[in-house]
Amino acid sequence: MFKVSLRNLAAHKLRLALTVLSVLLGTSFVAGSMVFTGTISNAFSSIFDNVALGTAVQISPEKGQSAGVPDSVLDEVTARRSELGADRIVADYRGTVTLAKANGKALSTGGAPSIGSAFLPPDQRLSDTDSALKPGGRAPTGDTEIALNAAAADKAGLHVGSRTKVVTGAGSSMPIPVTVVGILDVPGDTGGFVNVQFDQSFAKDMFTDGSHSSYIAMSAVRGVSDDQLKQRVEQLVGNGYKVQTGDEIRQEEKDRINQFLSVFNYILLAFAAIGLVVGTFIIYNTFSMIVAQRVRELALLRAIGASRGQVTRSVLFEAFVVGLLGGVLGLGIGIGIAAILRAVTSGSGLPHASLAISATAVIATILVGVIVTMLSAWAPARRASSISPVEAMRESMTDGASSLRGRTIVGTVLGIIGIALIVIGAFGEGTGPAITVGAGAVAVIVAVVLVAPALSRPIVGAMGTVLGKPFGKLGLLARTNAVRNPRRTAATAFALTLGLMLVAMIGTIGTSFKHTVDTTVDAGIKADLILSSSNQGTVPASVRPTVSRVDGVSQAVGFGGISATVDGASVVGTSPSGPIGSVLSVDKVGGGKFGPQEQVPADGLWVSKSKSGDRGWAVGDTVTFTGPSGTTVPVRVEGVYDNNQLLGNWLMGSGAYERLMPEVLRSDQVILVKIAPGQSLSVVKKRLEDATGDFLTVSVQDRAEFKGQVSSQIDQMLSVLYAMLGLALVIAVLGIVNTLALSVIERTREIGMLRAIGMSRAQVRRMIYLESVLIAIFGAVLGVLMGCCFGAALVSTLKKWGIGDPVLPWSLIITTLIGAAVVGVLAALWPASRAAHIRPLEAIAE
């Protein structure tokens, strides 16, 4: 039987190629995602192996955003060095910076860290390989000299003697003009990383409040292990600090990046899963048709002694071969996808490395291909073995003639349950209702799979009557062919349904987000110009005073970012530096708005309606905030405002903000500018661009530009998703091609008879085109309806976070339906051409 299966595959090479292609496209994404993330993970691991070399123990703040480790801890550790068993002890001072290239523009890191730190002379380093100066350079001194890592210097076009400038990410310092006096050989220097090193005392003044360090690192004397030193240091410094060995630091960095990569990997695997699910329907459809075409052949095998089990195993063996070929070829294509992803992300801050093709990736890809294909072929294989030889040899034996009643009833019940869950979830807000909507969506998808064959007859029949009417008898024949086998039509169409459902759902969510942004900006922002960071960071606190001095500026209100804790829980908020009513339209709970000159009291707090409800913060209550440096600041709740996406959850007065946030951590999330009456918007905008140019990353936009920027960011995210969903659509189109091609083979005698009684080749082609268009539009209509409903329901659950009412992407819907018709024609080109070239007499003689 195995020989029969192999010979059957060899005899139908075209059918084999089409089926293998369905498997290949899905498995290639599995391989590509695993190889790419494995490559990046290995590259980062090799880099992090060079982190904290020579460090036995490091003391750092327990919280990420903090003033640092107090100098008192450094003094105590230094005084008890001998008792602890520590050798060298080093205090480090660091913070985020932006470096200007040789052309004066900001150096883009592509998302990699851009760190300013203190230069350590050789006698203070814990490792001889830690940031050594290259020949021809020297250590920076004073406040106008820097040393720069070699990779950043090359990318920025800088060398020893170059003049440039540096801007710190926070604090009130102005852009710093500097000269490069040294190039550093930093271990693992790759992937866009920037390290600007300053004189040690200057780094302390710039990155700390003068009484803290970013962290304290130390080496151990001979005979004292890292773990022993760690235990002694922990006993000395007590709680509130993170004490780690060098190995723990390196492992933490690896775990952190692997966590990020795992999320990225899950995203890629999710799209691979979509491709495989779509491919599953095509493989199932293909094997169903193959079995239907070979039913007399299989019956003959049964008649000469083959058992049901042998017939089943024969079909499953063919599926195994197809899956194995698809998995192996998918592995090769996947490695190519990983190489493309590596090339595309080469400038995004990720390190460079050779492709890591692990045994896990190879085995997983091939197993996925084999298992998915065999599962898809199992039902057709069982169906083939259950047909009795005599019945199968009848000329009238066809596939898909069994009743649809049972599956339709089950699907209808499941669909009603799914719709109920979606409606219930859509009336709620938050994570729970969103999960309810998701559960309902899954139920509806399964229901559509079950009910689609029953739906295809009336829907495709109605569409065929309308679309086929201009074509007369050809249209009638196309309609008849499309509804002849509802299972096959539904399975073919559902491959397209699933892809377009995801496109419509994502489109609905994206359109709703953009509409919310436009509505919020138009109704909420009264400012004429908006200043923000062009690299997704924050605006240094020193920018706002500079902006306020620009001629033509009436009001410049900065919104400082706050990170603190309340009752042990982390909270984030903002602090406006001036009257928010002059630049924003903010409604107060109970009526009224913030006046043009009204400010949040210096020691007061205004909270949003949702935060007031969640936290129970009422007017008159006192809320105690604990800042990054441990400072506690009690603040009185002065009022409650309606939820406002632009403001966030709470607003703190400037006096409390300055006590809570150390100066080195102060920065503005955005600065809103109102121009003076009679001033030209374009003129003031140009003045602001000139005044803030030295800050490198400050972007000046009017409201239209701001909306356009946000919309473009959303469009960029959507375009990536659409591109990846294109895989599912490509598979779906190939599924239509596959189904029509096999259908043409199945109907060879029928088409030959039509040709014999006078149908021309052009008429045969038009008939196949119409049949394909009907199937494609049926799948598109189902997909668009499901996607828009799911997307609208999910958007409704996001109102808690300020998202507005759902907005349907009408242009996308219309484009999708027209595109489905085009796809139907394109998918039918080759099968229609094959059908048109069938020779009547030879076909009838088969």
Side-chain angles (χ1 to χ4, degrees):
M1 291 298 293
F2 289 158
K3 288 183 179 178
V4 170
S5 297
L6 291 174
R7 288 177 179 175
N8 184 68
L9 289 171
H12 300 88
K13 296 181 179 61
L14 178 61
R15 189 170 67 194
L16 172 65
L18 289 170
T19 314
V20 167
L21 193 59
S22 302
V23 184
L24 178 152
L25 289 170
T27 55
S28 62
F29 248 58
V30 174
S33 61
M34 296 185 73
V35 171
F36 177 70
T37 53
T39 299
I40 301 302
S41 178
N42 287 352
F44 273 114
S45 293
S46 63
I47 292 174
F48 293 142
D49 285 337
N50 295 311
V51 170
L53 292 177
T55 297
V57 170
Q58 177 178 291
I59 307 170
S60 56
E62 195 170 29
K63 298 174 183 176
Q65 189 175 33
S66 167
V69 182
D71 286 349
S72 58
V73 173
L74 176 63
D75 295 339
E76 189 169 8
V77 170
T78 303
R80 301 178 65 175
R81 175 188 312 210
S82 299
E83 180 183 339
L84 293 171
D87 186 12
R88 289 183 177 179
I89 299 176
V90 177
D92 187 83
Y93 313 101
R94 59 179 52 208
T96 59
V97 297
T98 301
L99 175 72
K101 297 185 292 186
N103 62 5
K105 304 294 184 181
L107 173 62
S108 173
T109 66
S114 182
I115 302 295
S117 61
F119 177 85
L120 297 177
D123 60 345
Q124 293 185 29
R125 293 180 195 148
L126 302 183
S127 170
D128 293 337
T129 60
D130 186 19
S131 300
L133 278 170
K134 287 191 171 186
R138 61 175 177 82
T141 59
D143 56 2
T144 60
E145 295 181 348
I146 63 169
L148 184 62
N149 64 308
D154 290 341
K155 191 173 181 181
L158 302 173
H159 51 80
V160 173
S162 295
R163 293 182 177 274
T164 184
K165 58 189 171 187
V166 175
V167 179
T168 60
S172 59
S173 63
M174 299 293 288
I176 306 165
V178 293
T179 301
V180 179
V181 297
I183 302 297
L184 301 167
D185 187 7
V186 178
D189 187 10
T190 184
F193 172 68
V194 176
N195 183 206
V196 182
Q197 296 193 2
F198 302 87
D199 174 79
Q200 197 167 13
S201 60
F202 180 64
K204 181 174 183 178
D205 292 339
M206 184 164 54
F207 296 123
T208 75
D209 58 3
S211 60
H212 290 77
S213 56
S214 301
Y215 63 80
I216 301 170
M218 62 191 77
S219 58
V221 298
R222 188 181 299 275
V224 176
S225 69
D226 293 357
D227 289 332
Q228 287 175 324
L229 182 57
K230 176 186 174 182
Q231 291 176 359
R232 295 170 186 175
V233 171
E234 284 178 329
Q235 292 174 355
L236 177 65
V237 301
N239 297 326
Y241 302 100
K242 186 189 296 184
V243 181
Q244 299 170 288
T245 64
D247 289 338
E248 290 172 340
I249 296 169
R250 288 183 283 274
Q251 189 59 49
E252 181 181 62
E253 293 293 335
K254 292 179 183 179
D255 291 343
R256 182 173 58 83
I257 196 61
N258 284 333
Q259 183 178 16
F260 162 75
L261 290 174
S262 66
V263 172
F264 185 74
N265 198 30
Y266 292 149
I267 294 172
L268 289 178
L269 289 176
F271 285 100
I274 293 169
L276 288 170
V277 168
V278 174
T280 297
F281 283 93
I282 296 171
I283 298 165
Y284 167 81
N285 218 21
T286 300
F287 274 94
S288 294
M289 296 181 72
I290 291 172
V291 168
Q293 293 169 16
R294 295 173 52 203
V295 69
R296 298 182 67 190
E297 170 195 329
L298 297 174
L300 182 60
L301 292 173
R302 290 286 312 282
I304 62 176
S307 67
R308 287 186 174 183
Q310 286 177 312
V311 171
T312 301
R313 288 192 292 273
S314 172
V315 176
L316 289 177
F317 179 69
E318 291 183 32
F320 170 79
V321 174
V322 169
L324 184 63
L325 287 173
V328 172
L329 294 175
L331 176 64
I333 299 296
I335 293 172
I337 291 174
I340 293 171
L341 286 173
R342 184 185 61 174
V344 169
T345 58
S346 61
S348 64
L350 295 177
H352 309 294
S354 57
L355 291 176
I357 306 170
S358 65
T360 303
V362 173
I363 295 171
T365 303
I366 295 175
L367 277 180
V368 165
V370 170
I371 292 172
V372 167
T373 308
M374 294 187 71
L375 287 176
S376 303
W378 182 77
R382 291 273 295 177
R383 193 180 307 132
S385 67
S386 64
I387 302 172
S388 64
V390 175
E391 181 183 4
M393 288 183 185
R394 293 176 186 168
E395 191 72 26
S396 60
M397 181 64 197
T398 58
D399 177 48
S402 57
S403 173
L404 300 173
R405 182 177 180 182
R407 64 183 289 166
T408 302
I409 292 173
V410 173
T412 301
V413 173
L414 196 58
I416 292 172
I417 295 172
I419 292 171
L421 288 173
I422 291 172
V423 172
I424 292 170
F427 280 100
E429 296 180 10
T431 305
I435 294 174
T436 302
V437 170
V442 172
V444 169
I445 291 170
V446 176
V448 170
V449 172
L450 296 174
V451 176
L455 289 175
S456 68
R457 278 177 172 158
I459 295 177
V460 175
M463 289 192 305
T465 301
V466 175
L467 298 179
K469 191 171 183 179
F471 298 91
K473 293 297 182 182
L474 287 180
L476 180 61
L477 283 172
R479 173 185 177 277
T480 302
N481 289 334
V483 300
R484 175 187 296 181
N485 191 320
R487 294 176 186 271
R488 181 189 305 167
T489 297
T492 305
F494 192 78
L496 189 60
T497 295
L498 193 59
L500 292 181
M501 178 200 73
L502 293 169
V503 169
M505 184 174 69
I506 293 170
T508 300
I509 295 173
T511 303
S512 300
F513 267 77
K514 289 195 288 186
H515 183 264
T516 298
V517 170
D518 291 347
T519 303
T520 302
V521 171
D522 290 337
I525 295 183
K526 296 160 63 176
D528 300 301
L529 295 168
I530 301 164
L531 278 69
S532 58
S533 174
S534 59
N535 64 355
Q536 309 302 315
T538 57
V539 179
S542 51
V543 172
R544 187 178 55 81
T546 302
V547 169
S548 298
R549 292 191 294 267
V550 171
D551 185 29
V553 171
S554 171
Q555 193 69 253
V557 181
F559 291 82
I562 301 173
S563 177
T565 57
V566 175
D567 298 329
S570 297
V571 294
V572 292
T574 55
S575 174
S577 62
I580 61 174
S582 64
V583 292
L584 292 174
S585 178
V586 184
D587 294 320
K588 299 179 180 179
V589 171
K593 293 179 178 289
F594 270 86
Q597 299 303 318
E598 186 177 359
Q599 300 191 40
V600 177
D603 294 321
L605 184 75
W606 275 77
V607 299
S608 68
K609 184 178 179 180
S610 61
K611 179 58 67 174
S612 175
D614 293 343
R615 287 275 183 175
W617 293 350
V619 176
D621 289 348
T622 298
V623 181
T624 300
F625 291 83
T626 302
S629 61
T631 304
T632 58
V633 179
V635 186
R636 185 178 185 276
V637 178
E638 301 290 346
V640 180
Y641 57 89
D642 280 339
N643 295 338
N644 189 304
Q645 197 171 7
L646 295 169
L647 291 178
N649 289 322
W650 45 271
L651 302 171
M652 180 181 288
S654 57
Y657 169 72
E658 291 173 1
R659 295 200 305 275
L660 187 70
M661 297 295 292
E663 184 177 358
V664 293
L665 297 179
R666 296 176 198 164
S667 62
D668 287 319
Q669 296 171 334
V670 69
I671 300 173
L672 301 182
V673 174
K674 189 76 174 175
I675 67 173
Q679 292 286 333
S680 168
L681 180 64
S682 59
V683 171
V684 177
K685 182 174 182 288
K686 181 64 169 62
R687 291 172 186 165
L688 286 171
E689 289 172 342
D690 294 339
T692 60
D694 286 343
F695 289 95
L696 300 179
T697 60
V698 176
S699 171
V700 183
Q701 297 172 308
D702 59 31
R703 283 183 290 185
E705 290 171 333
F706 180 73
K707 288 191 296 184
Q709 179 192 20
V710 176
S711 294
S712 67
Q713 291 171 353
I714 296 174
D715 287 336
Q716 286 175 5
M717 290 187 290
L718 293 181
S719 63
V720 172
L721 294 174
Y722 289 151
M724 298 182 80
L725 287 174
L727 169 72
L729 298 178
V730 168
I731 298 174
V733 172
L734 289 172
I736 298 175
V737 174
N738 203 357
T739 299
L740 290 175
L742 293 173
S743 177
V744 167
I745 296 172
E746 184 181 45
R747 291 151 49 194
T748 298
R749 295 185 67 188
E750 173 189 323
I751 295 171
M753 184 66 72
L754 291 171
R755 292 276 287 116
I757 62 176
M759 182 177 283
S760 67
R761 288 182 175 180
Q763 289 175 318
V764 171
R765 283 195 293 268
R766 282 198 293 272
M767 180 181 69
I768 302 296
Y769 294 157
L770 282 171
E771 182 181 346
S772 177
V773 168
L774 290 175
I775 294 173
I777 293 180
F778 172 62
V781 169
L782 286 181
V784 168
L785 283 175
M786 291 167 61
C788 289
C789 290
F790 298 162
L794 286 172
V795 170
S796 296
T797 67
L798 301 176
K799 289 183 178 179
K800 180 179 180 180
W801 291 282
I803 305 302
D805 293 330
V807 178
L808 295 181
W810 289 110
S811 60
L812 177 65
I813 292 172
I814 295 171
T815 303
T816 298
L817 294 178
I818 295 174
V822 175
V823 162
V825 174
L826 294 177
L829 287 176
W830 178 61
S833 177
R834 283 177 56 85
H837 285 82
I838 291 176
R839 295 180 178 179
L841 295 180
E842 292 179 7
I844 295 172
E846 281 194 359

